[in-house]
Amino acid sequence: MAGLTGHPVLEIGDKFEELQNNIINNNKNKEVIDKAGLVLKGEENSNNNNNNQGGERDMAPPTSNSLHRSGSRPQLDLSKAAIQGNSEERDPTILLPNQSDDISHFALDIGGSLIKLVYFSRHEGQSIDDKRKRTVKEISNGSRRSYPILGGRLHFVKFETSKLNECLDFISSKQLHNGRIDSHYWNSESPNKENAVIKATGGGAYKFADLFKERLGVSIDKEDEMDCLVAGANFLLKAIRHEAFTHMEGHKEFVQIDHNDLFPYLLVNVGSGVSMIKVDGDGKFQRVSGTNVGGGTYWGLGRLLTKCNSFDELLELSQRGDNRTIDMLVGDIYGGMDYSKIGLSASTIASSFGKAISDKKELEDHRPEDISLSLLRMISYNIGQISYLNALRFGLKRIFFGGFFIRGHAYTMDTISFAVHFWSQGQAQAMFLRHEGFLGALGAFMSYEKLGLDDLMVHQLVERFPMGAPYTGGKIHGPPLGNLNEKISWMEKFVLKGTEITAPVPMAPPGTTGLGGFEVPSSKGGTLRSDASALNVGVLHLVPTLEVFPLLANPKMYEPNTIDLSDHCELEYWFTVLSEHLPDLVDKAVASEGGTDDAKRRGDAFARAFSAHLARLMEEPAAYGKLGLANLLELREECLREFQFLDAYRSIKQRENEVSLAVLPDLLMELDRMDEEARLLTLIEGVLAANIFDWGSRACVDLYHKGTIIDIYRMSRNKMQRPWRVDDFDLFRERMLGSEGKKPRPHKRALLFVDNSGADVVLGMLPLARELLRRGTEVVLVANSLPALNDVTAMELPDIVAEAAKHCDILRRAAEAGGLLVDAMTNTLDGSKENCSSVPLMVVENGCGSPCIDLRQVSSELASAAKHADLIILEGMGRALHTNFNARFKCEALKLAMVKNQRLAEKLIKGEIYDCVCRYEPAS
């Protein structure tokens, strides 16, 4: 090959002088797909879910190896929906057989102190200009039809029982009692409010039934309190991965419960009083004990003794208390000595409030803080001891504590844990539940007939932690926002062959925090946050279309996160990286919405909300469950979506895709002139080199700001010198090309997990996919369901493939065979076309919207595609390094990435930034 020996792309710029004006002008009206019939499959059904086009034409069933892509984000079809009546109608009625039509979609646990509310809401925020309906395909009796997917969330809210009117106002404001999720899709008639019935448990369900009828016009269907507690606990323990945890001496550790080993256990519900329930299975339980000394005792005595106005205020007082001024300790009796013979230390409480007998002080002489702590320890120790004695009585090793007395308070949990550990001599363990206060309300919610929640598995529930902060009003900080169109993309710079143009560096004005002027909320480590219970419990997204990736070698042992964030230094480093990246991300997000005043306000709100999440997690890393880097990055994306930034890098992705596609044909010609061995190496080098262009990497953003794109690319190519930091290319080459004249069998199907838009996918992964297709391997491109940074999505990828197919017969035939081009779909519909001889190229969504991927939760579409795959290629830092670097699969796997993070280089591969990783692993 003439010219530079590193990579043919570096020669392409000389041949595209005539393209410069077209690319730089960036004609926004340019059609991505021409009028020769290269239209995306399903385009004719383009519509939003509020104006659904029902009744898609029947199509021939696919063969066992075929795979039809769906443009949908996997969401909940909670009730096994089906079209009622004629499926050819424009707006057919959707029947939800597993959802009763005359019920409201919330349930209550009305206790003596608190009201706990669980309610269901539909997914919101689906873009009205989606190019395709959000549909799910059902194969039935040889035909296929579409119907809307009803996604939903479970929300958790609490009110003080003394403020019942606030709860009623909340229900009324959200119209929960009317059951109005979307009556058009539930049945043809609106719900009858007069006959509305809601489920409730707890004493208040009886006490306040008339008030609910008077204020809301609904009747209360009273559910048994114990039934609800057990049903709620069983559901959470089986369905939520990080629900149960231990808490000893301030250390929180999550416990993964084996569903086959869950029963029997002791459930201790600490509400106003305490109930102890032996649970033997679903619906199998018995209340074995209890005590009248519980949360109500603590709150009642505390209010009398300290004059506190709320339970949280009383707990907060305890954190500043010293119980030694009131409690009589073993050391007080034995002159400061331990009573070692019976294993009692000098600090053990011999008598709660015992010193008050001899101190001759009046109540006002004691600090409220000390009283609160002494009272808390007295009640917590008592509950812990009685619980263990009942567990001992029935031979139970596992004790779960729930109820709003605990409410995530570290000292309370430590005290109960100490008591269980002390009395059991370490043989029993106290465990706590993150949704501790909502067991009864959740059980009541599940009691609605045929709701189907009990069938959900751990991989089907995704927990999110929104802030719910308003975004209107407020002062906008930071410098004026520049026009994003002024920033020239890297490929434009490449075509311009090194013209000295650099992207502007976003600068924060003097005196700002470095977060674009957004102050990070301060947090006091020793103070109970008033919002702790709201932040610790997220919204449960119910997604039955998620499945465990079937090619994992050992799903039970699989851990996606490569980086361990339990190390405080590690956690602090990544929080700093995310904080430093925040101003640039806000700029991109605001620009993606046109830079309007509303977008700026939402950008300000997003920065504040995400900063608050980071501050909360720095204070308590396990507040939201076991924290991994994948969770942290997903949290950022969810926060963007919460404030209606659906695709912050939309314009950047479009521009970089266009300029990358413009130079793709010459790259393919260069590759075709090579022999097999040289071509395979160049393809792998191309994937690694193109992976450097990643807007999610701080190092990459710095490169954008400091140098021209051609400089960056040349630097990347210079790093191609083998051996790479992780270099299994020779093993992969032998598998692909064979050795000693023996040709290996081609792979049957390859799953290519793609990463970034632009050069990464167009000039890196597509040519590699083309090579596999040329060898007779079916190729499935796996992309995000939702946008994340500049990652390509499954909705965008068919457009890219269709444009690339204009210039390549291999890609065109494969795209037709895979159903990505409309002419193939049309011919399949009318049955006039025989099976295409080319192997198919297909696109599926992965079920997530993050730079990383947790293979315990992937779309059913991807899980189906994986059944026939014998090669996995994971590309990019997020999917191949931050997560899944240590994952093992039943089939062959190739992991490719350019390292663009110093911490990752230090910790993972003991290398340097811009080192290359090419890791090939045979089937496990």
Side-chain angles (χ1 to χ4, degrees), residues 676 680 728-740 742-750 772 775-777 869-873 891-894 920-923:
E676 267 193 327
L680 186 61
D728 293 336
F729 174 76
D730 292 339
L731 291 175
F732 182 66
R733 179 189 59 203
E734 183 175 338
R735 169 62 185 89
M736 294 293 291
L737 306 181
S739 60
E740 299 178 356
K742 294 181 181 179
K743 282 284 186 181
R745 61 170 180 80
H747 294 95
K748 183 178 181 181
R749 175 180 287 176
L772 290 166
R775 294 171 178 275
T777 299
D870 50 3
L871 174 64
I872 295 170
I873 300 180
C891 67
E892 298 170 49
L894 181 66
Y920 171 71
E921 299 160 351

Coordinates of all heavy atoms in Angstrom, one line a residue, residues 676 680 728-740 742-750 772 775-777 869-873 891-894 920-923:
E676 N -5.5 -11.1 2.6 CA -6.3 -11.4 3.8 C -5.7 -11.0 5.1 O -6.3 -10.4 6.0 CB -6.7 -12.9 3.8 CG -7.9 -13.3 3.2 CD -8.3 -14.7 3.5 OE1 -7.4 -15.5 3.7 OE2 -9.5 -15.0 3.6
L680 N -7.0 -8.0 7.7 CA -7.5 -8.3 9.0 C -6.8 -7.4 10.1 O -7.4 -6.9 11.0 CB -7.3 -9.8 9.3 CG -7.9 -10.2 10.7 CD1 -9.5 -10.0 10.7 CD2 -7.6 -11.7 10.9
D728 N -3.8 -10.0 21.8 CA -4.2 -11.3 21.4 C -4.5 -11.4 19.9 O -5.2 -12.3 19.5 CB -5.4 -11.8 22.2 CG -5.1 -12.0 23.7 OD1 -3.9 -12.2 24.0 OD2 -6.0 -11.9 24.5
F729 N -4.0 -10.5 19.1 CA -4.4 -10.5 17.7 C -3.9 -11.7 17.0 O -4.6 -12.3 16.2 CB -3.8 -9.2 17.0 CG -4.0 -9.3 15.5 CD1 -5.2 -9.0 15.0 CD2 -3.0 -9.7 14.7 CE1 -5.5 -9.0 13.6 CE2 -3.2 -9.7 13.3 CZ -4.4 -9.4 12.8
D730 N -2.7 -12.2 17.3 CA -2.2 -13.4 16.6 C -3.2 -14.6 16.9 O -3.4 -15.4 15.9 CB -0.8 -13.7 17.1 CG 0.2 -12.7 16.7 OD1 -0.1 -12.0 15.7 OD2 1.3 -12.6 17.3
L731 N -3.7 -14.7 18.1 CA -4.7 -15.8 18.3 C -5.9 -15.6 17.5 O -6.5 -16.6 17.0 CB -5.0 -15.8 19.8 CG -3.9 -16.2 20.8 CD1 -4.4 -16.1 22.2 CD2 -3.5 -17.7 20.5
F732 N -6.4 -14.4 17.5 CA -7.6 -14.1 16.7 C -7.4 -14.3 15.2 O -8.2 -14.9 14.5 CB -8.1 -12.6 16.9 CG -9.3 -12.2 16.2 CD1 -10.5 -12.8 16.5 CD2 -9.3 -11.3 15.2 CE1 -11.7 -12.5 15.8 CE2 -10.4 -10.9 14.5 CZ -11.6 -11.5 14.8
R733 N -6.2 -13.9 14.7 CA -5.8 -14.1 13.3 C -5.8 -15.6 12.9 O -6.4 -16.0 11.9 CB -4.5 -13.5 13.0 CG -4.0 -13.7 11.5 CD -2.6 -13.2 11.4 NE -1.7 -14.0 12.3 CZ -0.5 -13.6 12.7 NH1 -0.1 -12.4 12.3 NH2 0.2 -14.3 13.5
E734 N -5.3 -16.4 13.8 CA -5.2 -17.8 13.6 C -6.6 -18.4 13.5 O -6.9 -19.3 12.7 CB -4.4 -18.5 14.7 CG -4.2 -20.0 14.5 CD -3.3 -20.6 15.5 OE1 -2.4 -19.9 16.1 OE2 -3.4 -21.9 15.7
R735 N -7.5 -17.9 14.4 CA -8.9 -18.4 14.4 C -9.6 -18.0 13.2 O -10.4 -18.8 12.6 CB -9.6 -17.9 15.7 CG -11.1 -18.1 15.6 CD -11.5 -19.5 15.6 NE -12.9 -19.8 15.5 CZ -13.6 -19.9 14.3 NH1 -12.9 -19.8 13.2 NH2 -14.8 -20.1 14.3
M736 N -9.3 -16.8 12.7 CA -10.0 -16.4 11.5 C -9.4 -16.9 10.2 O -10.2 -17.3 9.3 CB -9.9 -14.8 11.4 CG -10.7 -14.1 12.5 SD -12.5 -14.4 12.4 CE -12.9 -13.4 11.0
L737 N -8.1 -17.0 10.1 CA -7.4 -17.4 8.8 C -6.9 -18.8 8.8 O -6.6 -19.3 7.8 CB -6.3 -16.4 8.5 CG -6.7 -14.9 8.5 CD1 -5.4 -14.1 8.2 CD2 -7.8 -14.7 7.5
G738 N -6.8 -19.4 10.0 CA -6.3 -20.8 10.1 C -4.7 -20.8 10.1 O -4.1 -19.7 10.1
S739 N -4.2 -21.9 10.2 CA -2.7 -22.1 10.2 C -2.3 -23.4 9.5 O -3.1 -24.3 9.4 CB -2.2 -22.1 11.7 OG -2.8 -23.2 12.4
E740 N -1.1 -23.4 9.0 CA -0.6 -24.5 8.3 C -1.5 -25.0 7.1 O -1.7 -26.2 6.9 CB -0.3 -25.7 9.2 CG 0.7 -25.4 10.3 CD 0.8 -26.5 11.3 OE1 0.1 -27.5 11.2 OE2 1.7 -26.4 12.2
K742 N -4.6 -24.8 6.9 CA -6.0 -25.3 7.2 C -6.9 -24.1 7.4 O -6.6 -23.2 8.2 CB -5.9 -26.1 8.5 CG -5.1 -27.4 8.4 CD -5.1 -28.2 9.7 CE -4.3 -29.5 9.6 NZ -4.3 -30.3 10.8
K743 N -8.0 -24.1 6.7 CA -9.0 -23.1 6.8 C -10.0 -23.4 7.9 O -10.6 -24.4 7.8 CB -9.7 -22.9 5.4 CG -8.9 -22.2 4.4 CD -8.9 -20.7 4.7 CE -8.2 -19.9 3.5 NZ -8.2 -18.4 3.8
P744 N -10.1 -22.5 8.8 CA -11.1 -22.8 9.9 C -12.5 -22.5 9.4 O -12.8 -21.8 8.4 CB -10.8 -21.7 10.9 CG -10.2 -20.6 10.2 CD -9.5 -21.2 9.0
R745 N -13.5 -23.1 10.1 CA -14.9 -22.8 9.7 C -15.2 -21.4 10.0 O -14.8 -20.8 11.1 CB -15.8 -23.8 10.4 CG -15.7 -23.6 12.0 CD -16.8 -24.4 12.7 NE -16.7 -24.2 14.1 CZ -17.1 -23.1 14.8 NH1 -17.7 -22.2 14.2 NH2 -17.0 -23.1 16.1
P746 N -16.1 -20.7 9.2 CA -16.5 -19.4 9.6 C -17.5 -19.4 10.8 O -18.1 -20.4 11.0 CB -17.2 -18.9 8.3 CG -17.6 -20.1 7.6 CD -16.6 -21.2 8.0
H747 N -17.5 -18.3 11.4 CA -18.5 -18.1 12.5 C -19.9 -18.1 11.9 O -20.1 -17.6 10.8 CB -18.3 -16.9 13.3 CG -17.0 -16.9 14.1 ND1 -15.8 -16.3 13.6 CD2 -16.6 -17.4 15.3 CE1 -14.8 -16.5 14.4 NE2 -15.3 -17.1 15.5
K748 N -20.9 -18.6 12.7 CA -22.2 -18.6 12.2 C -22.9 -17.3 12.4 O -23.5 -16.8 11.4 CB -23.0 -19.7 13.0 CG -24.5 -19.8 12.5 CD -25.2 -20.9 13.3 CE -26.6 -21.1 12.9 NZ -27.4 -22.1 13.7
R749 N -22.8 -16.7 13.5 CA -23.3 -15.4 13.8 C -22.4 -14.6 14.7 O -22.0 -15.1 15.8 CB -24.7 -15.4 14.3 CG -25.3 -14.1 14.7 CD -26.8 -14.2 15.3 NE -27.7 -14.5 14.2 CZ -29.0 -14.8 14.4 NH1 -29.5 -14.8 15.7 NH2 -29.8 -15.0 13.4
A750 N -22.2 -13.3 14.4 CA -21.3 -12.5 15.3 C -22.2 -11.3 15.8 O -22.9 -10.7 15.1 CB -20.1 -12.0 14.5
L772 N -16.6 -9.8 8.1 CA -17.3 -11.0 8.6 C -18.4 -11.5 7.6 O -18.5 -12.7 7.4 CB -17.9 -10.7 10.0 CG -16.8 -10.6 11.1 CD1 -17.5 -10.0 12.3 CD2 -16.2 -11.9 11.4
R775 N -17.1 -13.4 4.8 CA -16.7 -14.7 5.1 C -17.9 -15.7 5.4 O -17.7 -16.8 5.8 CB -15.8 -14.7 6.3 CG -14.5 -14.0 6.1 CD -13.7 -13.8 7.3 NE -12.4 -13.2 7.0 CZ -11.3 -13.9 6.6 NH1 -11.4 -15.2 6.5 NH2 -10.2 -13.3 6.3
G776 N -19.1 -15.1 5.2 CA -20.3 -16.0 5.4 C -20.9 -16.0 6.8 O -21.7 -16.8 7.1
T777 N -20.5 -15.0 7.6 CA -21.0 -14.9 9.0 C -22.1 -13.9 9.1 O -22.0 -12.8 8.6 CB -19.9 -14.4 9.9 OG1 -18.8 -15.4 9.9 CG2 -20.4 -14.3 11.4
A869 N -25.5 -17.1 18.2 CA -24.2 -16.4 18.0 C -23.1 -17.3 18.5 O -23.2 -18.0 19.5 CB -24.2 -15.1 18.7
D870 N -21.9 -17.3 17.8 CA -20.8 -18.0 18.3 C -19.5 -17.0 18.4 O -18.4 -17.5 18.6 CB -20.4 -19.2 17.4 CG -20.4 -18.9 16.0 OD1 -20.6 -17.7 15.6 OD2 -20.2 -19.8 15.1
L871 N -19.8 -15.7 18.2 CA -18.7 -14.7 18.3 C -19.3 -13.4 18.9 O -20.3 -13.0 18.4 CB -18.0 -14.5 17.0 CG -17.0 -13.3 17.0 CD1 -15.8 -13.7 17.9 CD2 -16.5 -13.0 15.6
I872 N -18.7 -12.9 19.9 CA -19.0 -11.6 20.5 C -17.9 -10.7 20.3 O -16.7 -11.0 20.6 CB -19.4 -11.7 22.0 CG1 -20.7 -12.6 22.1 CG2 -19.6 -10.4 22.6 CD1 -20.9 -12.9 23.6
I873 N -18.1 -9.5 19.8 CA -17.1 -8.4 19.7 C -17.6 -7.2 20.5 O -18.6 -6.6 20.1 CB -16.7 -8.0 18.3 CG1 -16.2 -9.2 17.5 CG2 -15.7 -6.9 18.3 CD1 -15.9 -8.9 16.1
C891 N -19.3 -18.5 24.2 CA -18.8 -18.5 22.8 C -17.5 -17.7 22.8 O -17.1 -17.1 23.8 CB -19.8 -17.9 21.9 SG -20.1 -16.2 22.1
E892 N -16.9 -17.6 21.6 CA -15.7 -16.8 21.5 C -16.0 -15.3 21.7 O -17.1 -14.8 21.4 CB -15.0 -17.0 20.1 CG -14.6 -18.4 19.8 CD -14.3 -18.6 18.4 OE1 -13.5 -17.7 17.8 OE2 -14.8 -19.5 17.7
A893 N -15.0 -14.5 22.2 CA -15.2 -13.1 22.5 C -13.9 -12.4 22.1 O -12.8 -12.8 22.4 CB -15.6 -12.9 23.9
L894 N -14.1 -11.2 21.5 CA -13.0 -10.3 21.2 C -13.4 -8.9 21.8 O -14.4 -8.4 21.6 CB -12.9 -10.1 19.7 CG -11.7 -9.2 19.2 CD1 -10.4 -9.8 19.6 CD2 -11.8 -9.0 17.7
Y920 N -8.6 -11.5 23.0 CA -9.4 -12.6 22.4 C -9.5 -13.8 23.4 O -8.5 -14.2 24.0 CB -8.7 -13.1 21.1 CG -9.4 -14.3 20.5 CD1 -10.6 -14.3 20.0 CD2 -8.7 -15.6 20.6 CE1 -11.2 -15.4 19.4 CE2 -9.3 -16.7 20.1 CZ -10.5 -16.6 19.5 OH -11.1 -17.8 19.0
E921 N -10.7 -14.3 23.5 CA -11.0 -15.4 24.5 C -11.8 -16.5 23.8 O -12.9 -16.2 23.3 CB -11.8 -14.8 25.7 CG -11.0 -13.8 26.5 CD -11.9 -12.9 27.3 OE1 -13.2 -13.1 27.2 OE2 -11.4 -12.1 28.1
P922 N -11.3 -17.7 23.8 CA -12.0 -18.8 23.2 C -13.3 -19.0 24.1 O -13.4 -18.5 25.2 CB -11.1 -20.0 23.3 CG -9.7 -19.4 23.5 CD -9.9 -18.1 24.2
A923 N -14.2 -19.9 23.6 CA -15.4 -20.2 24.3 C -15.1 -20.8 25.7 O -14.2 -21.7 25.7 CB -16.3 -21.1 23.5

